[in-house]
Amino acid sequence: MFRVFGGGVLAALFAASAVQAAPPVVTNPDWLVRPDGRTIAETYPRVAERLQLDGRAVISCVIDVVGRARDCMVVEQFPPGLGFGAATLKASEAFRFTPMKIDGRPVAGGTVRVPLRYIHPESEAPEEPPKPGPATSDKVTALTPALSAQIRSNMLAYFAGDPLNVESQPQPEVDAATRAAARRAVTEAGGKVASDWAAATAATYAAYADEAQMTAISAYMAAPESAATFLRQARTAELFERFFEHAAARLRSAARAGFCTRGRCDAQDPQPPAGVTLANPAWKAVPSWHDIDRSRPRMAWAFGVGGWAQLNCIVTATGTPEFCVNIAESPRGFGFGDAADLLVEEYRVSDQDMTAGAQGETVSLLVEFPPPWIPPTGPPDLPGPTPSAAQLALARDLIAIDEQGEKIARNAEETEAAFAQITGLEGEERRKAGEALRQGIQQALPGILNELALVVAKTHSERELVALKRLLSAEAAINNKPGGSQLNPDLSAVNAYYGHRLGAEAQRIFCADRPCHEIRTTKP
C-alpha cells in the first residue's frame, strides 16, 4: 500500500471433506475437481479480507449425475454476517465429484456436507517496525518533516474516503450496517497508523535521497495528482493483482506448450496401494489446500503441471505418519514425491483408529497436487476506457523506469534459477525442459510488458502519468546510486509492517462488539 503500483495476491486456504448427510448417502466421495487457490481467492468475502479475518462455512449439496454440486444450502457459517456462506456457495460451482452409482450406472441424488475454511495468509511483515538509516545530509534531514506531513495528508484523505473499497463494491449478502462498521474501523485504524507510517516512509526516502531528489519527491507528494492516485489505490491494486496473476500464468502456459508433448506432463490414475495394513483410515487432520499449493514442486509450477504421489508410512503413537516411502508418483520427474513428503507432518490418524490399534500399522497417503490455473488466451479483461496514445507512451516510459517492469523480468529469471535446482529430470529430458522454459519466457515477456503498459495507462490520467514519471525518475536516480538499490525493498518493508498493523487495528475495532474468532484447538 502507498506505493504507486502496489498490490499483492491474496492466498486463501481450502480444506474440504464430505460426511454423511440425509439418505441416499455418498460417504467420503471421490473428488474429481477441487477448487484451486484462485477460485477461493476470488470468492473470499471482501469485507473479511480487508479486516484480515478468517472464516468458515458448511454447505449441503446434492451431487448430480455428472458429479456437479447442485441445490447447495448453507448449513452454518462463522463469523456471522460477513458472507462466508455465500462465498462457499459461489466456490461450490467448481466442485466435481464422482457421481453415485446404482447397478454400475451413475445416478443423481447423493447428498454431501462440505466444510470450507478461509484463512487469511500469514503476514510477512516483521514483528518490529523497520528502522531506516540516517539521512544522507543535514539539508535532507530538514526536508524530511515536510515530506512526512505531505504523505500523512494523502493517507488521511484516503482513509476518510472509501478505504479499501469496502463500500463502493459491496457484497449483497453483507448488510449496509456491517459494511459501514467495516469502513469506520478502517478509517479509525488509518488515523491511528498514518503518522507513524508517513514518518517511516519519509525517513526511508531520506536515508537514500540527496537534496534534489528529496525536493522532487516532496513536490510530487504535494501535487493534486498524488492525492488522486492515492484515493484510487485500492482499485488500481486490484487491476494489478489481476494482471500479475495472468502474466505468471502466461509464462507457465508458454513453457508448457514447448515441453508437455506426447503425454509427458499427464498424470496417470493411481493404483490401489500395496503393503498397507491400515486401509481406509479416518483422518483427524490433513494438509490444507494452502499447504498443498505452497508445497507444489517448483518445476510443476513452472510448467503448469498437476500430479500426485503415493507414500506408505508407519503410524506413530501420536497418530502422525512417519518413516514414509515413496511408492509411486505421476507424472515422474517433477518432484511430486518430495513435495508430498514435506506434507506428511500435517496428517493425523483419527482418535477412533488410534484406539483400535492403528499405532505401528502401515498406512497409504495419496497426496494430490491440482494443476495451477492456466488462463485463456489473450490479455486479461481490464475495465475502463481505451487510453490515448500519449498515455500509452508515458506508461511505457514508466515501465522502463519503475520496478514493476523489472519485476516481470526478475520473476522470469527466478523461475529459470529455480528450475536449475531441480534434479527430477536428467540428461536429454532436463535439457529439453530448460530450453522450453527459456523459450517460453522469451516468447511471453514482450506481450506481457505491453499488457502492463495498458494497465498503467488505464489506471492513470495523462497528468498523473507525467507526475509519476517525475517521481519515479527521482527514485530511479536514487536506485542507481551506490547502495540505492535497497530503497524499494526498504519501502516495501515499511508498507508490509504498517499495512499489517492497519489491518490488525481495524480488525480489533470491528470485532470489539462482534463475534469474530473461535477458540481453536492445536494439534497434538
Side-chain angles (χ1 to χ4, degrees):
M1 184 182 294
F2 299 110
R3 290 287 294 137
V4 176
F5 302 142
V9 179
L10 175 71
L13 173 65
F14 172 75
S17 61
V19 297
Q20 180 170 320
V25 173
V26 177
T27 304
N28 296 322
D30 293 328
W31 287 89
L32 295 178
V33 178
R34 302 179 189 256
D36 57 17
R38 174 174 176 266
T39 300
I40 302 306
E42 288 180 347
T43 60
Y44 208 116
R46 176 175 299 277
V47 173
E49 175 189 342
R50 300 314 191 204
L51 298 173
Q52 301 181 5
L53 280 171
D54 301 347
R56 63 172 179 80
V58 178
I59 61 174
S60 175
C61 304
V62 175
I63 302 176
D64 69 12
V65 70
V66 295
R68 290 173 296 192
R70 298 293 193 187
D71 302 324
C72 296
M73 298 181 298
V74 178
V75 177
E76 60 179 273
Q77 59 180 315
F78 188 90
L82 287 174
F84 284 105
T88 304
L89 291 177
K90 180 65 176 176
S92 71
E93 296 174 6
F95 294 1
R96 294 294 185 274
F97 301 95
T98 299
M100 186 174 65
K101 293 182 179 181
I102 295 179
D103 296 330
R105 296 180 180 180
V107 296
T111 302
V112 293
R113 285 168 62 94
V114 182
L116 188 65
R117 183 176 291 279
Y118 291 82
I119 296 182
H120 196 278
E122 291 293 330
S123 171
E124 296 180 358
E127 295 182 1
E128 297 292 332
K131 297 179 180 178
T136 57
S137 70
D138 291 342
K139 291 183 178 180
V140 169
T141 298
L143 292 170
T144 303
L147 177 58
S148 175
Q150 289 156 0
I151 295 173
R152 178 178 180 275
S153 177
N154 283 344
M155 287 183 174
L156 291 177
Y158 169 74
F159 290 126
D162 181 7
L164 307 183
N165 285 0
V166 166
E167 288 196 280
S168 63
Q169 297 180 12
Q171 299 169 248
E173 63 276 6
V174 180
D175 61 53
T178 300
R179 294 196 302 271
R183 173 178 175 171
R184 288 194 300 271
V186 176
T187 300
E188 184 179 341
K192 292 183 176 183
V193 303
S195 294
D196 290 345
W197 195 340
T201 302
T204 301
Y205 277 118
Y208 297 99
D210 59 28
E211 183 181 2
Q213 292 160 349
M214 198 72 165
T215 300
I217 294 166
S218 295
Y220 172 79
M221 293 298 177
E225 291 81 11
S226 172
T229 301
F230 269 59
L231 291 174
R232 286 201 317 277
Q233 179 117 19
R235 180 60 183 151
T236 302
E238 288 183 2
L239 293 181
F240 275 102
E241 286 179 11
R242 189 183 308 181
F243 164 76
F244 279 112
E245 180 185 51
H246 191 280
R250 281 274 299 276
L251 291 174
R252 292 197 298 268
S253 183
R256 180 185 175 91
F259 180 67
C260 294
T261 58
R262 302 179 184 178
R264 181 185 275 124
C265 301
D266 297 339
Q268 305 300 313
D269 291 336
Q271 299 299 313
V276 173
T277 58
L278 178 61
N280 300 319
W283 294 104
K284 180 179 180 180
V286 296
S288 70
W289 283 101
H290 182 61
D291 294 331
I292 290 173
D293 191 57
R294 184 174 53 193
S295 301
R296 185 189 307 278
R298 289 180 176 180
M299 185 172 170
W301 182 92
F303 288 100
V305 173
W308 55 266
Q310 201 166 45
L311 309 178
N312 277 8
C313 310
I314 304 298
V315 179
T316 65
T318 62
T320 307
E322 292 186 9
F323 312 108
C324 298
V325 177
N326 184 7
I327 301 300
E329 62 183 273
S330 182
R332 296 187 60 82
F334 285 88
F336 289 113
D338 291 339
D341 194 56
L342 296 175
L343 294 168
V344 168
E345 63 182 17
E346 301 297 330
Y347 286 87
R348 295 290 189 280
V349 173
S350 70
D351 294 340
Q352 181 179 0
D353 281 344
M354 292 302 296
T355 301
Q359 181 179 350
E361 300 293 336
T362 301
V363 66
S364 178
L365 308 181
L366 178 63
V367 185
E368 298 177 273
F369 297 86
W373 175 66
I374 300 294
T377 57
D381 180 25
L382 299 173
T386 301
S388 67
Q391 283 175 287
L392 283 171
L394 284 165
R396 293 189 180 99
D397 289 345
L398 282 169
I399 291 169
I401 298 170
D402 189 66
E403 62 178 328
Q404 294 297 343
E406 298 174 5
K407 180 178 179 180
I408 289 287
R410 191 163 58 246
N411 283 347
E413 294 170 359
E414 290 172 355
T415 299
E416 280 201 87
F419 175 78
Q421 301 174 20
I422 299 297
T423 58
L425 296 177
E426 303 295 342
E428 183 65 11
E429 285 292 284
R430 183 178 178 83
R431 187 196 66 78
K432 289 179 180 179
E435 183 62 25
L437 192 60
R438 283 185 288 272
Q439 289 181 357
I441 291 170
Q442 293 171 1
Q443 175 187 343
L445 194 56
I448 288 173
L449 292 177
N450 283 335
E451 291 170 13
L452 178 58
L454 181 61
V455 177
V456 174
K458 276 185 174 248
T459 52
H460 298 83
S461 70
E462 186 173 341
R463 287 175 60 89
E464 290 167 353
L465 291 170
V466 170
L468 282 171
K469 186 174 179 179
R470 294 196 192 102
L471 170 67
L472 296 182
S473 295
E475 288 193 354
I478 297 173
N479 285 328
N480 287 328
K481 292 168 58 178
S485 60
Q486 189 60 33
L487 170 65
N488 287 335
D490 283 359
L491 287 173
S492 295
V494 168
N495 293 334
Y497 174 80
Y498 287 101
H500 175 67
R501 183 171 149 189
L502 167 71
E505 180 64 19
Q507 181 188 120
R508 185 192 65 78
I509 296 168
F510 179 81
C511 296
D513 56 357
R514 290 175 175 81
C516 291
H517 306 289
E518 293 181 299
I519 298 175
R520 295 180 182 173
T521 57
T522 58
K523 295 179 181 178

